[in-house]
Amino acid sequence: MNPFKNTIVCVTLVSIQLFSIISINVEGLLGDYEMMSDKDTQVEKDVKIGSALRSSPIFKTYANYTGTDTSYGFFSPNVGSEFVLAFTVLDCDGKVLGEHQTPTSLEQKESKVRFNLCTFPMMDKIMMEEPNELFDDYFEVMMHQIAENIKASYNTGYKVVSEIYIHQPATITQTLEGKTEKLVLLERYTFRF
């Protein structure tokens, strides 16, 4: 019996696992750096190499089974919603009566959390390469129902302007200049009642 046989197998498996963890995390880190900074050809090249390795069938299967298929971002703090909803109630003269981010009928914390879940399909809409009429109809109906709920709190409310904003993080250069993230308008609906 060879006492080194088990040792060689263990060292090989540990080496494969460490390689998997390090390569996925480095690829994720470089991808985030590329996204947050001005384009750099060397970083872009490294990201492409890491992405090709990560998408190879053997590596992908191994990473899925061992749970190492997510980069360091999986362990980051839970961030807030990427979308901000804004509802402005106006009277017939155009005077602002009120501004809200959630329906006025939501009072409990659980109902507010569940309401925030309605913005999750918005990411699917953004990721689509072509416009999807079904998603457009869904969000128009959703925003109309929320606007109607908010308008019900105002007797003289005439119309509600509903807007969806998405966070756009600042690049590293912009952060060093003191600029922070900004909100970019994604959708705007105007409902008259």
Side-chain angles (χ1 to χ4, degrees):
M1 182 151 106
N2 186 354
F4 296 106
K5 185 177 179 182
N6 290 337
T7 306
I8 292 172
V9 170
C10 287
V11 168
T12 303
L13 289 176
V14 167
S15 299
I16 291 171
Q17 183 66 13
L18 285 174
F19 175 75
S20 175
I21 291 170
I22 290 170
S23 63
I24 287 175
N25 281 295
V26 167
E27 190 251 339
L29 182 66
L30 289 175
D32 287 350
Y33 176 76
E34 179 189 14
M35 181 182 75
M36 298 297 289
S37 66
D38 299 329
K39 299 287 183 193
D40 182 15
T41 54
Q42 181 60 37
V43 172
E44 194 172 318
K45 181 180 173 185
D46 292 341
V47 169
K48 286 180 182 176
I49 292 169
S51 192
L53 173 68
R54 191 173 177 181
S55 63
S56 70
I58 294 172
F59 189 79
K60 188 175 182 178
T61 303
Y62 177 79
N64 284 337
Y65 279 114
T66 58
T68 57
D69 57 340
T70 56
S71 67
Y72 71 95
F74 176 78
F75 302 101
S76 65
N78 192 9
V79 295
S81 174
E82 295 184 23
F83 302 98
V84 176
L85 303 178
F87 302 93
T88 306
V89 183
L90 305 167
D91 65 6
C92 59
D93 297 327
K95 179 183 172 189
V96 176
L97 299 176
E99 295 177 340
H100 302 275
Q101 288 189 329
T102 60
T104 54
S105 62
L106 300 180
E107 295 177 7
Q108 297 178 351
K109 184 177 181 182
E110 182 181 350
S111 60
K112 290 179 181 179
V113 169
R114 288 179 184 255
F115 170 75
N116 286 334
L117 292 175
C118 75
T119 62
F120 284 179
M122 183 60 78
M123 186 56 77
D124 293 334
K125 180 181 177 185
I126 292 171
M127 300 304 282
M128 289 181 182
E129 294 183 12
E130 297 180 10
N132 186 317
E133 192 174 322
L134 182 64
F135 270 89
D136 293 340
D137 293 344
Y138 168 76
F139 284 106
E140 186 169 354
V141 168
M142 179 185 79
M143 297 301 278
H144 183 271
Q145 291 300 312
I146 298 168
E148 192 172 347
N149 176 281
I150 291 173
K151 189 266 175 204
S153 301
Y154 296 91
N155 294 330
T156 59
Y158 172 68
K159 71 178 178 179
V160 177
V161 177
S162 306
E163 298 171 327
I164 302 174
Y165 293 92
I166 187 169
H167 289 280
Q168 183 177 9
T171 64
I172 293 174
T173 308
Q174 291 172 335
T175 304
L176 292 174
E177 293 172 357
K179 298 176 183 172
T180 59
E181 70 175 359
K182 59 182 178 179
L183 294 174
V184 177
L185 181 65
L186 194 62
E187 299 276 346
R188 176 180 283 141
Y189 305 96
T190 301
F191 303 106
R192 289 179 173 78
F193 297 97

